[in-house]
Amino acid sequence: MSKFYITTPIYYPSGNPHIGHCYTTVACDSIARYRRMQGHEVMFLTGTDEHGLKIEQKAAEAGITPKEYVDGIVEVFKKLWSYMNISYDRYIRTTDDYHVESVQNIFKKLYDKGYIYKGKYVGKYCTPCESFWTSSQLKDGKCPDCGREVIDAEEEAYFFKMSPFADRLEHLLLDTDYLQPRTRATELVNNFIKPGLEDLCVSRTSFKWGIPVTFDPKHVVYVWIDALSNYITALGYANNKYQDFDKFWPADVHMVAKDIQRFHALIWPAMLMALDLPLPKHLAVHGWITFNGDKMSKSKGNVVDPFILGERYGCDAIRYHILREMALGADSDFSNEILINRINSDLANGFGNLVSRTVAMADKYFGGTLPTERETAPVDDELKTLAVSICGKVDAFIDNTQIKQALETIFTLVDRANKYIDETEPWVLGKDESRKSRLAAVLYNLLDTIRIISTLLSPFMPSTMPKVWEQIGASESDVTYANASKFDVLPADVTVHKGEILFPRIDVNKEIEELNAILMANLPKTEPEEPDFTPEPLAEQIEFGDFTKVDLRVAKVTDCEKVKKSKKLLRLQLDDGMGGRQVVSGIAQWYAPQDLIGKKVIIVANLKPAVLCGVESNGMICAADLPDGSCAVQFADDRMPCGAKLR
């Protein structure tokens, strides 16, 4: 039996997981399940990267220890993976004792071999990414990976020598199929290897939440030596916890998102070269799940909670959607509408409808059990030929971690089977007793095609396919990988069992409205911070009689345009409830004319007319100065009628 080792990155538990985390894990799970179906002995690893400054800061904010903080988040990750039916074989935490032992041994080994040395770091540091950068690497003065602000950093540190491995790394990226897709290889070589690989900072002294360096305890091992080592420490390298290293290493597939490809394409192979260990076979790099074109980010408030989606549609619909939308190497935009339309088109109208129609007709015309007498026709051959060819095509896509294309291929058979129903018109055959043997052949061909489809879909939608097998009368021995490229596998007198609708069709408009409301309600509630602002001193006190001389009224802006001779002035036409008026206001720097039309404002209605840049103004709009030097118009409540007096 051949061995297969696949890994996700270990996720950073600075906050609860969102649907952006799901893609890599679901993709790896689907490949792992497919390989198990093929008969491989599989090791599927995932886990969490739990050290670093950001965790230390988050824990301090919460008033708990870093370990307490990550323990809580890890439980949510594990709950999500259970909910999404993730079949990982091992879960590693970088706080596990055996991993700590391994990392300390690896660090010491690299130091003893001369690849790690002590120096001083001076440069820029991105706390969210846990990444050091030189000034030349910054993009517009910010972190080139996440776009956030960086801070100046200067401290004693240990460094890992990268330059000795430059030629081997360039060969790995340009001359082998290690990186998938290979289109990213040239970019990495040109940006990092050609300019000269810089040595990597691998320890910190400015925080304590990390693995201590055994021979210099004031240092903790910096994130990438710590985190990247998990792929071998989880197998037992440099520890006595497991004995799987010789069996499963090198990894067949590391799958990561594009924001950490540099570390896995350059640093991780260099570490393995320094340790004289074999290199992984493939690094599969995928894009981001984006929300309106932006990477999902808690700081942007655009994360999508997979628990909420799963409760409404089931985990398999979510699994299918994210896998079907993401091509390897490309981003995939998420929206409620895209999700619902995908469920309706592929799952409800496509595969789900195929299953329910076929089973319902077998039940209606034959009481659920097909007769063994058959009448074939030439139209059957095209369906059968396509059906037995699909497995080989899917295999090729799985070999190249092209899951989207694998699913597209399977659904060509779904589409062909639905077309076959239209071609053979079983509802017409059912009305003619003399055509019952032909009808039996048509329904059997459909049921056996569904068997092949559901077998190949089972790694991607593992919760739903057993329900399909029950409905079509398939036994466990019928839905094996070996039978996925064969036809006429179901018993000739197969008995179907009508069941629940697999994927109910969704009312798009109604569902989008409800889902948006749920997602908005679950966004974290934050109170806006009061800006720093020093008010102007109060004016001289006045009598009440003086105040009553100021006539404040509500008016609606009916038209607005810029004053041609001025950059600051807008000419507003107002409905003041008294025949209308024109007011000129110096707010053009902060408001476009179209932003004001239709809004209700408050005006000083009895101000003497004045001429500004040749335009008469009959009143003044009320506005407030802001701390940044701009101003904000005081808009009135829409319930206030035009002409209403303020008091």
Side-chain angles (χ1 to χ4, degrees), residues 557-574:
V557 182
T558 59
D559 196 11
C560 184
E561 63 181 0
K562 291 185 177 181
V563 174
K564 294 180 180 179
K565 296 180 181 180
S566 173
K567 294 181 180 180
K568 299 180 179 180
L569 299 179
L570 292 179
R571 183 208 313 254
L572 299 96
Q573 303 300 327
L574 304 176

Side-chain angles (χ1 to χ4, degrees), residues 383-394 409 452 456 484-485:
L383 176 66
K384 292 181 180 181
T385 300
L386 178 63
V388 298
S389 72
I390 291 294
C391 183
K393 297 174 184 177
V394 174
T409 299
I452 292 173
L456 295 176
S485 54

Side-chain angles (χ1 to χ4, degrees), residues 554 598-600 635-646:
V554 176
K599 298 288 183 63
K600 286 185 177 179
F635 294 110
D637 192 314
D638 279 336
R639 295 173 298 175
M640 297 180 180
C642 294
K645 184 171 182 176
L646 276 69

Side-chain angles (χ1 to χ4, degrees), residues 408-483:
E408 287 174 345
T409 299
I410 296 170
F411 270 77
T412 62
L413 184 55
V414 173
D415 294 340
R416 186 64 189 86
N418 277 316
K419 181 182 177 184
Y420 178 77
I421 293 177
D422 296 335
E423 292 170 335
T424 56
E425 298 181 322
W427 53 88
V428 175
L429 297 174
K431 296 176 182 178
D432 187 345
E433 280 295 323
S434 67
R435 304 301 309 277
K436 284 298 180 74
S437 59
R438 175 60 189 149
L439 176 59
V442 168
L443 294 179
Y444 182 86
N445 291 340
L446 288 168
L447 289 170
D448 215 41
T449 299
I450 293 169
R451 174 192 59 80
I452 292 173
I453 293 168
S454 57
T455 300
L456 295 176
L457 282 179
S458 61
F460 310 100
M461 294 190 284
S463 300
T464 304
M465 294 310 115
K467 300 176 185 177
V468 176
W469 299 332
E470 182 179 354
Q471 291 191 27
I472 66 172
S475 67
E476 188 175 332
S477 61
D478 295 331
V479 291
T480 63
Y481 174 77
N483 285 332

